[in-house]
């Protein structure tokens, strides 16, 4: 018997090691650049490079950055676009944008180029930029809205005059190795592709003009590249259970026990180190979060509360809480997947639009704030939350049993939030005991009748 136990323990240990190794191999074989999103399978950011006219030593081009992602946008401080020149090109001048560095232009004796770097990086101009430096669809500080939320502001453009580049379709060369940062990593850009020249309508819409030459680059997002840890988590509660299911512990990291917190750690709301922590420059960038100390350590928590049950309807309350002391989330959005969204009746204080990537299946909703009311999710503190309620009509599949009333998946600003384990979801009161009580209630009258007959018999 002892040998049998030892053998099973050894077999179990060996099996655990094999499973762990298999999991590690799966993680290693999974490409971190795989940016497929099941809810937005064709979502991408497209960069169009249109040559509009030739100059004595190059050309004038308009670059457009188009965000075709349904619910993923770019917040402040905005996008940074980079590439590598194919030859020894320089940028003489720009409108609607600027390079972050000029580079070494010492070989030029007369006019000095705007940028001489082999690998320039361009940023958008700020809204207060002078009128003489502006052009259409520029100067928003690099902020790009998502395609569903605000398609009019999902486009950014700038113009550049390129020198030492060739002056015809045969001599000009397309730039390569495009990079897109927002401001950190996350996007991977594909190769430059030649496409049909873009066409443009004149302001009076009576004439169509055409670019002399056009290139296109597609960039896709991967949450695995953007950050090492999750950025949001989900907690659950319901009216029919006293259980409140919090975000899993250490979802986005564990509390730093160092007494003097550095940038990127957690602090308490009344901590004497809060001001100093916010003032310390981050090792990575100034947008590394400084979060309020919690068990989950996530910058964002989404709470789903099943609030009320009616005869033909049921109601849910959603609360989004910001625990990040260094970030106001502008134009935030939430994507929620639940089978009852095909019977959504009303949303209170949130905008709503269905996301239907696969035809007739309407089980996903995009929610975002109302402009000038709650479209800003303020930094951690008394005002660092937004909330709303959803009213659903009960469908044929409606039930409160087995966690059906809770969402299957939640995204915040395009990133997947960590859900609690399903076995921890709030449960209905034990139905078995009530079923037995009902059965006893049905049997009570016949039993009493039999007892009366028995004792009344002569």
């Amino acid at each position: 018997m002892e040998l049998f136990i030892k053998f099973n323990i050894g077999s179990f240990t060996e099996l655990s090691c094999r499973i762990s190794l298999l999991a590690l191999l799966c993680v290693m074989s999974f490409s971190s650049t795989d940016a497929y999103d099941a809810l937005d399978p064709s979502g991408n950011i497209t960069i169009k490079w249109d040559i509009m006219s030739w100059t004595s030593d190059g050309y004038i081009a308009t670059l457009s950055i188009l965000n075709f992602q349904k619910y993923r946008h770019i917040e402040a401080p905005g996008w940074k676009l980079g590439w590598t020149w194919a030859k020894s090109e320089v940028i003489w001048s720009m409108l609607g944008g600027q390079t972050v560095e000029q580079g070494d232009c010492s070989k030029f004796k007369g006019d000095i180029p705007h940028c001489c770097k082999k690998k320039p990086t361009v940023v958008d101009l700020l809204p207060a930029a002078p009128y003489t430096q502006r052009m259409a669809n520029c100067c928003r500080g690099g902020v790009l809205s998502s395609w569903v939320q605000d398609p009019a502001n999902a486009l950014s453009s700038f113009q550049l005059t390129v020198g030492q580049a060739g002056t015809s379709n045969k001599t000009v060369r397309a730039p390569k190795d495009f990079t897109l940062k927002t401001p950190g990593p996350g996007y991977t850009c594909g190769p430059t592709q030649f496409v049909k020249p873009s066409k443009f309508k004149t302001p009076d819409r009576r004439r169509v003009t055409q670019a002399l030459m056009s290139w296109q680059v597609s960039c896709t997002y991967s949450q695995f590249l953007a950050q090492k840890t999750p950025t949001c988590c989900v907690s659950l509660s319901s009216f029919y259970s006293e259980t409140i299911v919090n975000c899993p512990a250490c979802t986005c990291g564990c509390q730093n026990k160092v007494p003097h917190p550095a940038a990127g750690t957690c602090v308490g709301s009344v901590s004497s180190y809060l001001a100093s922590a916010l003032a310390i420059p981050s090792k990575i960038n100034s947008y590394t979060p400084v979060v309020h100390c919690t068990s989950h350590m996530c910058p964002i928590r989404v709470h789903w509360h099943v609030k009320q049950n009616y005869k033909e309807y049921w109601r849910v309350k959603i609360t989004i809480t910001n625990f990040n002391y260094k970030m106001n989330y502008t134009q935030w959005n939430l994507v929620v997947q639940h089978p009852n969204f095909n019977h959504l009746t009303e949303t209170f204080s949130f905008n709503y639009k269905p996301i239907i990537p696969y035809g007739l299946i309407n089980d996903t909703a995009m929610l975002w704030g109302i402009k000038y009311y709650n479209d800003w999710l303020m930094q951690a503190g008394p005002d660092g939350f937004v909330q709303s309620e959803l009213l659903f009509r009960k469908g044929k599949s409606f039930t409160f049993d087995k966690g059906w009333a809770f969402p299957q998946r939640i995204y915040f600003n395009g990133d997947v939030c960590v859900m609690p384990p399903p076995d921890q979801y709030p449960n209905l009161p034990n139905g078995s005991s009530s079923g037995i009580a009902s059965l006893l209630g049905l049997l009570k009258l016949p039993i009493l009748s039999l007892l009366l007959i028995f004792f009344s018999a002569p």
Side-chain angles (χ1 to χ4, degrees):
M1 183 68 179
E2 184 180 354
L3 290 174
F4 177 76
I5 293 173
K6 286 183 178 179
F7 172 78
N8 277 275
I9 292 174
S11 301
F12 178 76
T13 304
E14 183 181 358
L15 179 61
S16 299
C17 292
R18 289 183 178 181
I19 292 173
S20 300
L21 180 60
L22 180 61
L24 179 62
L25 290 173
C26 288
V27 171
M28 292 174 66
S29 63
F30 180 76
S31 173
S32 62
T33 59
D34 188 354
Y36 178 77
D37 187 344
L39 299 182
D40 189 12
S42 59
N44 71 86
I45 291 182
T46 298
I47 301 161
K48 297 198 70 176
W49 189 300
D50 297 311
I51 297 178
M52 307 305 295
S53 61
W54 302 109
T55 62
S56 58
D57 69 336
Y59 58 85
I60 297 175
T62 297
L63 268 74
S64 302
I65 304 175
L66 301 99
N67 186 9
F68 291 120
Q69 298 174 113
K70 292 180 179 179
Y71 44 79
R72 187 172 291 111
H73 61 278
I74 298 176
E75 292 188 293
W79 52 263
K80 289 184 178 181
L81 181 65
W83 62 83
T84 301
W85 290 116
K87 299 192 291 185
S88 57
E89 293 91 337
V90 296
I91 301 175
W92 283 112
S93 61
M94 293 188 68
L95 290 176
Q98 62 183 7
T99 58
V100 296
E101 292 184 56
Q102 183 182 29
D104 183 10
C105 297
S106 58
K107 69 177 183 179
F108 293 89
K109 304 302 181 184
D111 296 333
I112 305 298
H114 176 83
C115 179
C116 299
K117 289 184 70 67
K118 179 73 172 180
K119 298 181 178 180
T121 299
V122 176
V123 295
D124 194 12
L125 295 181
L126 298 175
Y131 181 77
T132 54
Q133 299 178 16
R134 303 170 70 93
M135 64 172 293
N137 300 311
C138 85
C139 312
R140 303 191 191 104
V143 174
L144 274 181
S145 298
S146 62
W147 192 254
V148 170
Q149 197 165 347
D150 188 4
N153 290 311
L155 164 66
S156 186
S157 299
F158 61 89
Q159 185 185 90
L160 68 170
T161 302
V162 181
Q164 300 182 172
T167 57
S168 70
N169 291 24
K170 294 183 179 180
T171 57
V172 73
R173 294 291 181 269
K176 57 184 180 180
D177 300 334
F178 276 79
T179 60
L180 179 64
K181 296 185 178 181
T182 60
Y187 285 90
T188 301
C189 298
T192 308
Q193 296 180 336
F194 288 87
V195 294
K196 292 182 179 180
S198 302
K199 295 183 178 182
F200 309 91
K201 287 187 177 181
T202 56
D204 61 5
R205 307 186 69 83
R206 300 177 64 187
R207 173 177 163 80
V208 176
T209 59
Q210 182 172 304
L212 303 176
M213 197 174 186
S214 294
W215 303 311
Q216 184 171 297
V217 177
S218 179
C219 303
T220 53
Y221 179 83
S222 170
Q223 188 173 346
F224 300 100
L225 292 178
Q227 58 269 324
K228 296 180 180 179
T229 60
T231 57
C232 58
C233 63
V234 179
S235 58
L236 308 170
S237 63
S238 66
F239 71 90
Y240 55 77
S241 174
E242 295 182 355
T243 302
I244 298 177
V245 182
N246 293 316
C247 293
C250 295
T251 298
C252 302
C254 295
Q255 290 191 27
N256 194 332
K257 302 301 181 181
V258 179
H260 297 278
T265 63
C266 79
V267 292
S269 57
V270 294
S271 170
S272 58
Y273 302 112
L274 177 57
S276 61
L278 295 177
I280 297 173
S282 169
K283 295 179 181 179
I284 302 174
N285 58 64
S286 59
Y287 294 88
T288 300
V290 174
V291 299
H292 181 72
C293 291
T294 59
S295 61
H296 54 79
M297 290 292 291
C298 290
I300 294 293
R301 182 191 67 194
V302 181
H303 185 75
W304 179 281
H305 175 64
V306 181
K307 186 177 181 180
Q308 285 179 301
N309 181 32
Y310 308 103
K311 182 179 179 180
E312 296 182 358
Y313 299 89
W314 62 292
R315 183 186 292 258
V316 169
K317 183 176 182 180
I318 298 178
T319 304
I320 308 171
T321 305
N322 184 6
F323 291 101
N324 188 355
Y325 286 104
K326 296 185 70 175
M327 186 71 170
N328 294 325
Y329 293 90
T330 59
Q331 295 186 348
W332 60 267
N333 67 63
L334 202 68
V335 174
V336 184
Q337 195 171 23
H338 190 284
N340 211 177
F341 270 116
N342 59 341
H343 291 100
L344 180 65
T345 302
E346 190 172 356
T347 60
F348 303 89
S349 70
F350 279 2
N351 289 308
Y352 157 77
K353 188 166 185 178
I355 301 292
I356 310 176
Y358 302 107
L360 301 177
I361 303 176
N362 180 15
D363 64 351
T364 307
M366 179 173 170
L367 306 168
W368 67 95
I370 298 172
K371 197 170 185 179
Y372 306 124
Y373 176 62
N374 59 358
D375 59 332
W376 276 53
L377 178 55
M378 302 300 290
Q379 65 188 36
D383 300 321
F385 71 94
V386 291
Q387 58 186 9
S388 180
E389 295 188 4
L390 309 177
L391 185 65
F392 295 94
R393 181 169 54 84
K394 295 179 180 179
K396 293 181 179 179
S397 61
F398 171 81
T399 178
F400 283 133
D401 194 20
K402 298 179 181 179
W404 185 90
F406 298 106
Q408 298 172 350
R409 190 185 305 179
I410 289 183
Y411 292 66
F412 178 81
N413 279 358
D415 286 338
V416 179
C417 300
V418 177
M419 299 285 296
D423 59 350
Q424 295 182 9
Y425 285 12
N427 291 320
L428 284 168
N430 194 343
S432 60
S433 59
S434 60
I436 293 171
S438 300
L439 180 61
L440 289 175
L442 291 172
L443 295 175
K444 187 185 297 182
L445 186 58
I447 291 172
L448 287 174
S449 301
L450 289 172
L451 288 173
L452 287 172
I453 295 170
F454 178 80
F455 287 109
S456 61

